[in-house]
Amino acid sequence: LNHVPPMPGGTPWRATVERIQCPILLLTSDSARGGGIPPEEVQQISETWKQGQHVSFAGNSHFLHHEMSEEQFAHFISVIRTFLAM
């Protein structure tokens, strides 16, 4: 099993994102439904990373892959496959 150790406590997210050398895929959902990351913070993250892609799935909460419509789930899978093929 591959295991990614947790980041040390107190490490600011910006310092963490700046250290990431591989491409990043940030999947977000509707922050008004508990999606977790407000749009302003998503914007700051995308301005910080070296290589990244952000895809938002509107109308879903934090557990977006459990709530998606069939069409959204097909798009979700397509986004992941495209990212992994990079």
Side-chain angles (χ1 to χ4, degrees):
L1 284 177
N2 289 330
H3 174 71
V4 178
M7 293 302 297
T11 302
W13 70 260
R14 187 176 302 275
T16 300
V17 171
E18 288 172 345
R19 291 188 352 220
I20 297 173
Q21 297 298 313
C22 62
I24 298 169
L25 176 60
L26 176 61
L27 303 174
T28 61
S29 53
D30 196 331
S31 61
R33 293 206 53 226
I37 304 176
E40 307 79 35
E41 195 166 336
V42 170
Q43 181 64 35
Q44 290 174 353
I45 292 168
S46 24
E47 291 170 355
T48 303
W49 61 36
K50 293 173 182 64
Q51 304 175 63
Q53 176 185 358
H54 169 241
V55 180
S56 180
F57 294 89
N60 297 287
S61 71
H62 177 75
F63 298 102
L64 63 114
H65 60 289
H66 290 288
E67 300 175 342
M68 293 178 168
S69 67
E70 203 171 308
E71 183 178 307
Q72 282 181 317
F73 189 73
H75 179 59
F76 174 79
I77 295 299
S78 173
V79 165
I80 293 172
R81 284 186 175 150
T82 301
F83 179 78
L84 292 175
M86 293 173 53

